[in-house]
Amino acid sequence: MGNGITSFKSVLASAGMPVLPGAGVAGVPSTGKVFFVDSGLGSDNHGGRSPKRAFATLDKAIGMCAASSGDVIYVMEGHAETIASATGCLVDVVGVKIIGLGAGRARPTFTLSATTSIIAMSADDCSIENCVFVAGVSAIVKGIFVTGDDCTVANCEFNFSTTAFDFIRAIDIASANRVKAFGNIIIAENAIVGAGSGIAVHDSDDAVIQGNSFSGNFGSACVNVLGTVTHNIYISGNRGRNDDK
């Protein structure tokens, strides 16, 4: 294209295999299968292997992935999905990479609609990148709950839908080693005093919490390191802001 901007369609290779800009947090291409998720055009009765035949939900796409195979899920621009329970979205297949497409408000948005709603990352070596997670009710216990080793949450945004809706913990890392959380934006509105944390790390070793931005009133801490068996946490380059007067 003459303006130097490459369209989405132009980066799809022939045979249906996407060669998309930004291979994700690992920075390398994948040789696994590629699936697409799109709430607008998708259906969980589709095959999910192209944008025109995308799945409608992220959980369906994860369930179609194979463990330790390098499978990648692209969540399309404008995707909007509600997670209504603790089992509504289970990242439970080893090695799956989830990448949101788009920028700003066009990024995929997941609204957690119950206090127990979570994105549960229980499998090792998984990643979530460039997605928006919204608290749709008050005092959601956990946004992304990471219990798998070597997982990554990168360049995501955690926000709220209206006054008094919030996450008690936006990212909760529990008994998981070598987890990375970087480049995320976490915006609190009315955190539960004494419990509110942007990122909580407990009973975990060698986590990297780097380059995240925090805004709002966190009842406990922007980054809260807990537990007597938590070791070697690397915290660097994070920024916090509180405009509450």
Side-chain angles (χ1 to χ4, degrees), residues 42-112:
S43 167
D44 284 350
N45 294 320
H46 287 170
R49 298 302 305 278
S50 73
K52 291 185 178 180
R53 299 290 295 171
F55 293 126
T57 65
L58 178 57
D59 194 64
K60 174 65 176 183
I62 295 169
M64 297 302 294
C65 293
S68 304
S69 298
D71 290 352
V72 178
I73 299 169
Y74 288 104
V75 189
M76 301 295 285
E77 298 96 330
H79 176 78
E81 185 173 343
T82 297
I83 307 299
S85 71
T87 58
C89 185
L90 302 176
V91 187
D92 56 358
V93 179
V94 174
V96 170
K97 181 182 295 183
I98 300 163
I99 301 174
L101 300 178
R105 297 300 91 186
R107 288 174 295 171
T109 298
F110 297 86
T111 299
L112 282 65

Side-chain angles (χ1 to χ4, degrees), residues 7-240:
S7 70
F8 177 78
K9 291 182 180 179
S10 70
V11 293
L12 295 179
S14 57
M17 178 63 68
V19 183
L20 295 173
V25 294
V28 295
S30 169
T31 56
K33 291 182 179 179
V34 175
F35 298 96
F36 295 87
V37 178
D38 185 354
S39 60
L41 299 176
S43 167
D44 284 350
N45 294 320
H46 287 170
R49 298 302 305 278
S50 73
K52 291 185 178 180
R53 299 290 295 171
F55 293 126
T57 65
L58 178 57
D59 194 64
K60 174 65 176 183
I62 295 169
M64 297 302 294
C65 293
S68 304
S69 298
D71 290 352
V72 178
I73 299 169
Y74 288 104
V75 189
M76 301 295 285
E77 298 96 330
H79 176 78
E81 185 173 343
T82 297
I83 307 299
S85 71
T87 58
C89 185
L90 302 176
V91 187
D92 56 358
V93 179
V94 174
V96 170
K97 181 182 295 183
I98 300 163
I99 301 174
L101 300 178
R105 297 300 91 186
R107 288 174 295 171
T109 298
F110 297 86
T111 299
L112 282 65
S113 63
T115 57
T116 56
S117 297
I118 58 174
I119 308 293
M121 296 183 72
S122 59
D124 297 344
D125 308 316
C126 293
S127 64
I128 297 178
E129 180 180 6
N130 197 45
C131 293
V132 178
F133 301 93
V134 176
V137 295
S138 177
I140 292 176
V141 178
K142 301 167 185 176
I144 296 181
F145 184 38
V146 185
T147 58
D149 292 340
D150 300 289
C151 288
T152 300
V153 181
N155 303 317
C156 292
E157 179 180 320
F158 297 80
N159 214 322
F160 56 92
S161 60
T162 191
T163 301
F165 288 3
D166 213 343
F167 296 101
I168 295 178
R169 293 175 177 174
I171 302 173
D172 191 353
I173 301 167
S175 301
N177 300 318
R178 298 173 302 279
V179 174
K180 298 178 178 64
F182 63 84
N184 300 291
I185 297 173
I186 301 176
I187 302 170
E189 199 279 330
N190 187 26
I192 305 302
V193 175
S197 304
I199 300 174
V201 184
H202 47 107
D203 302 324
S204 303
D205 292 343
D206 304 310
V208 177
I209 313 298
Q210 189 171 25
N212 302 283
S213 297
F214 302 87
S215 176
N217 180 20
F218 295 91
S220 292
C222 294
V223 179
N224 200 4
V225 179
L226 308 164
T228 58
V229 293
T230 298
H231 305 104
N232 304 322
I233 308 302
Y234 181 82
I235 301 173
S236 174
N238 301 284
R239 301 181 65 183

